[in-house]
C-alpha cells in the first residue's frame, strides 16, 4: 500500500534503491531546500517526467532533517484517501513528502487535498510528487487552488549537465548533451525507438491518466496522435525558417506514419492539438515563445511568418525527432538548430521572472533573425532589449560577419516600431571561451558559454567592463 522512509531507515532505503549518498544534487534540489527553510505556507508540487530525478532529489533535500517520505505503491486497488489522512494524523515529523500521490483514489481525494493545506497552515512542510506529473499539475485546481507552489524538473541546462557529470563545457560534451541529455541513464533517448518508447510511457500514458482523472474534452483514444502532432509542430516551427522545404521526402512521410503524426490535421481537430499543447506547456514538457513583432504590429517591409514557436524542453527528444523526420538533412545543420532551441529553453527558465522572452524573425530568414530577445519594461515603448545569437562553434569571431546580431538590421526593424527602444546588450552563446568582441558599428558583443555571465545577462555593463580589463591586460602582456 505504501512505504515509509524516515531517519531510522533512510540509509537502508537508499541502499535498497541503489541510490548513492555521493550522487550530485540537481539544481532543483536547492530550490526544494529553500522551500523547506522558508516561512511559505503552501504545498510544494514537484512536477516532472520520468528520469528527471524527482524522487532522488526529494530524498537528498530531506537528508538529516525531521522528515518522513511516504511512497504510495500502485496496485489494482487505489489507496483510500482516508487511510492517508489517518496515517498523517500519526506523523510527528515537520516535513511530509508523498511520492506517487496520483495513485491515491480520486474519489474523496479533495478531502485529503484540503487536509494537506491545513497541515501547511499548522507550520508543516508538505511536498508532493509522482510519475504522473500532469496529474500532479492538476492539483493546482480544486481544493489546492492558489495553495501550491511548483518546481518543475524537466529542464536540465548544459551547465547543470556538466556539473553533475563532471564534464568540461566544450563542444564535444555539448553535442553529447544535446543528443542524449536531459534525463538520466535508465531513460536515455538515443535512437528513434527509445524516443518513441519514452514518449509513449512517460508522456502519452501520463496525459491519458490525466484525461481520465479530469473533465478534459480530449478523447483519450486520440492522445498519442495529438501529442506527436504537437511535437511535430514544434519541430516544424524551429526548422521552417532555417531550412526551407515544401514537400516531405518519402522517408519523412514514412517516419511520420510510424510516429502516428498527422501533419495535415486530417484525423485530428486543430483545437484539440492546441488544447494538448497548452496542457504540455503547463506541465513544462514544451514551451511557447512569441515573436517580438506580433501580427497587429506588422509593417510591409517586415512582415512575419509566425507569431509563436513551440520548443520541446528535452533536447534528446528534439534531436531524435529532427533525425527521424528530416533524415535527408545534414546532421551538422540539425545540431545547429537543436543548439538554438536548447539555448531558447535555457534562457526561458533562466531569465528574470519580470522579463519577457521572444524570438525575432522576418518572413525571409535572409532579411533578419535573432534567436532570442529578452525584453525589460515590456509594457511601454521604452523597451530595454537584450539580443542573443546561438552558434554551435567553439571559436566564434564577429570580424567581418554579416550576422543579424551584428549588421544593424534588427535594430532598424525594432526602432521603426518602437523608436524609444534601447538595445542594452548583445550576446553570442557558444560552447567555448568567453570574450568581448564588436559588431559592425563597433558596439560590444559578449561571446559566452552557457554559464553565469549568460544567466546574469542584465549585468551586461559589468561584464563588458571586466572583459575589457582582461583584454587590455592581455594586450599589455603581449607587448611586454
Amino acid at each position: 500500500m505504501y512505504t515509509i522512509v524516515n531517519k531510522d531507515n533512510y540509509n537502508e532505503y537508499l541502499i535498497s534503491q541503489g541510490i548513492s549518498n555521493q550522487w550530485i544534487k540537481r539544481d532543483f534540489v536547492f530550490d526544494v531546500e529553500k522551500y523547506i527553510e522558508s516561512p511559505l505556507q503552501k504545498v510544494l508540487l514537484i512536477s516532472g517526467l520520468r528520469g528527471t530525478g524527482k524522487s532522488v532529489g526529494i530524498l537528498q533535500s530531506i537528508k538529516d532533517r525531521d522528515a518522513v517520505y511516504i511512497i504510495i505503491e500502485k496496485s489494482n486497488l487505489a489507496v483510500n484517501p482516508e487511510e492517508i489522512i489517518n496515517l498523517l494524523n500519526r506523523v510527528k515529523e515537520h516535513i511530509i513528502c508523498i511520492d506517487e500521490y496520483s495513485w491515491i483514489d480520486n474519489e474523496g481525494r479533495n478531502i485529503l487535498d484540503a487536509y494537506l493545506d491545513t497541515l501547511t497552515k499548522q507550520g508543516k512542510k508538505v511536498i508532493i510528487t509522482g510519475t504522473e506529473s500532469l496529474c500532479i499539475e492538476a492539483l493546482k485546481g480544486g481544493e489546492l487552488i492558489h495553495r501550491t507552489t511548483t518546481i518543475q524538473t524537466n529542464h536540465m541546462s548544459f551547465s547543470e549537465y556538466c556539473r553533475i557529470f563532471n564534464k568540461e563545457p566544450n563542444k564535444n560534451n555539448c553535442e553529447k548533451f544535446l543528443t542524449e541529455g536531459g534525463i538520466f541513464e535508465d531513460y536515455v533517448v538515443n535512437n528513434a525507438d527509445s524516443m518513441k518508447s519514452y514518449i509513449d510511457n512517460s508522456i502519452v500514458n501520463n496525459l491519458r491518466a490525466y484525461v481520465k482523472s479530469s473533465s478534459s474534452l480530449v478523447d483519450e483514444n486520440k492522445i498519442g496522435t495529438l501529442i506527436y502532432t504537437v511535437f511535430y509542430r514544434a519541430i516544424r516551427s524551429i526548422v521552417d525558417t532555417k531550412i526551407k522545404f515544401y514537400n516531405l521526402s518519402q522517408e519523412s512521410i514514412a517516419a511520420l506514419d510510424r510516429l502516428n503524426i498527422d501533419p495535415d490535421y486530417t484525423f485530428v481537430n486543430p483545437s484539440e492539438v492546441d488544447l494538448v499543447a497548452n496542457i504540455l506547456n503547463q506541465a513544462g514538457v514544451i514551451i511557447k515563445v512569441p515573436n517580438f513583432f506580433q501580427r497587429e504590429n506588422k509593417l510591409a517591409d517586415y512582415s512575419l511568418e509566425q507569431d509563436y514557436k513551440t520548443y520541446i524542453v528535452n533536447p534528446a527528444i528534439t534531436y531524435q525527432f529532427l533525425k527521424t523526420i528530416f533524415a535527408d538533412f545534414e546532421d551538422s545543420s540539425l545540431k545547429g538548430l537543436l543548439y538554438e532551441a536548447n539555448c531558447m529553453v535555457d534562457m526561458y527558465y533562466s531569465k528574470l521572472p519580470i522579463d519577457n522572452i521572444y524570438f525575432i524573425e522576418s518572413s525571409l530568414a535572409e532579411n533578419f533573425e535573432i534567436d532570442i530577445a529578452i525584453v525589460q519594461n515590456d509594457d511601454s515603448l521604452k523597451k530595454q532589449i537584450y539580443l542573443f545569437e546561438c552558434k554551435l562553434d567553439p571559436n566564434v569571431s564577429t570580424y567581418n560577419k554579416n550576422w543579424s546580431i551584428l549588421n544593424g538590421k534588427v535594430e532598424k526593424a525594432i526602432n521603426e516600431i518602437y523608436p524609444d527602444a534601447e538595445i542594452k546588450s548583445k550576446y553570442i552563446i557558444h560552447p567555448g571561451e568567453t570574450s568581448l568582441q564588436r559588431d559592425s558599428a563597433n558596439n560590444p558583443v559578449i561571446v559566452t558559454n552557457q554559464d553565469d555571465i549568460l544567466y546574469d545577462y542584465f549585468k551586461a555593463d559589468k561584464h563588458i567592463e571586466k572583459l575589457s580589463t582582461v583584454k587590455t591586460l592581455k594586450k599589455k602582456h603581449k607587448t611586454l
Side-chain angles (χ1 to χ4, degrees), residues 195-248:
M195 174 195 72
K196 190 174 189 309
S197 175
Y198 182 80
I199 292 173
D200 288 345
N201 292 322
S202 302
I203 303 175
V204 175
N205 291 343
N206 193 335
L207 183 56
R208 189 170 284 121
Y210 168 77
V211 167
K212 285 182 178 179
S213 65
S214 70
S215 57
S216 172
L217 300 177
V218 179
D219 181 349
E220 69 173 278
N221 296 315
K222 295 180 181 178
I223 286 172
T225 297
L226 291 169
I227 288 175
Y228 280 99
T229 303
V230 169
F231 284 178
Y232 173 70
R233 188 169 67 177
I235 297 301
R236 283 297 295 258
S237 75
I238 66 172
V239 167
D240 270 351
T241 53
K242 302 293 178 65
I243 303 176
K244 293 294 183 183
F245 64 95
Y246 302 97
N247 296 308
L248 292 172

Side-chain angles (χ1 to χ4, degrees), residues 220-286:
E220 69 173 278
N221 296 315
K222 295 180 181 178
I223 286 172
T225 297
L226 291 169
I227 288 175
Y228 280 99
T229 303
V230 169
F231 284 178
Y232 173 70
R233 188 169 67 177
I235 297 301
R236 283 297 295 258
S237 75
I238 66 172
V239 167
D240 270 351
T241 53
K242 302 293 178 65
I243 303 176
K244 293 294 183 183
F245 64 95
Y246 302 97
N247 296 308
L248 292 172
S249 67
Q250 289 300 314
E251 187 176 0
S252 293
I253 292 171
L256 294 178
D257 188 56
R258 287 195 304 273
L259 293 173
N260 217 16
I261 291 172
D262 183 10
D264 300 318
Y265 302 108
T266 304
F267 304 107
V268 295
N269 186 328
S271 64
E272 288 186 325
V273 177
D274 288 336
L275 177 59
V276 168
N278 289 335
I279 294 171
L280 295 178
N281 182 42
Q282 177 186 352
V285 177
I286 64 172

Side-chain angles (χ1 to χ4, degrees), residues 376 384 386 422-427 436 444 446 453 456-469:
Q376 297 177 333
Q384 297 178 331
Y386 299 85
E422 178 187 3
I423 306 300
K424 293 289 290 181
S425 189
K426 298 180 178 183
Y427 290 83
L436 183 65
I446 300 171
I453 286 181
D456 288 342
Y457 59 89
F458 47 90
K459 298 179 181 178
D461 290 343
K462 290 185 178 179
H463 298 327
I464 292 168
E465 182 181 359
K466 185 175 179 179
L467 292 171
S468 297
T469 302

Side-chain angles (χ1 to χ4, degrees), residues 300-320:
D301 292 338
Y302 301 114
S303 60
L304 304 168
E305 284 185 337
Q306 296 177 310
D307 286 340
Y308 281 87
K309 285 187 179 183
T310 305
Y311 300 82
I312 303 169
V313 168
N314 183 282
I317 293 176
T318 307
Y319 177 63
Q320 290 305 327

Side-chain angles (χ1 to χ4, degrees), residues 336-374:
L337 293 171
L338 179 64
Y339 185 63
E340 292 173 7
N342 178 255
C343 289
M344 174 63 86
V345 172
D346 197 20
M347 295 309 294
Y348 178 92
Y349 286 107
S350 302
K351 70 177 182 62
L352 292 177
I354 60 173
D355 291 348
N356 293 282
I357 191 165
Y358 302 90
F359 70 94
I360 297 179
E361 216 159 67
S362 68
S363 57
L364 299 174
E366 306 82 56
N367 191 349
F368 62 84
E369 59 87 19
I370 288 291
D371 296 323
I372 306 167
I374 293 180

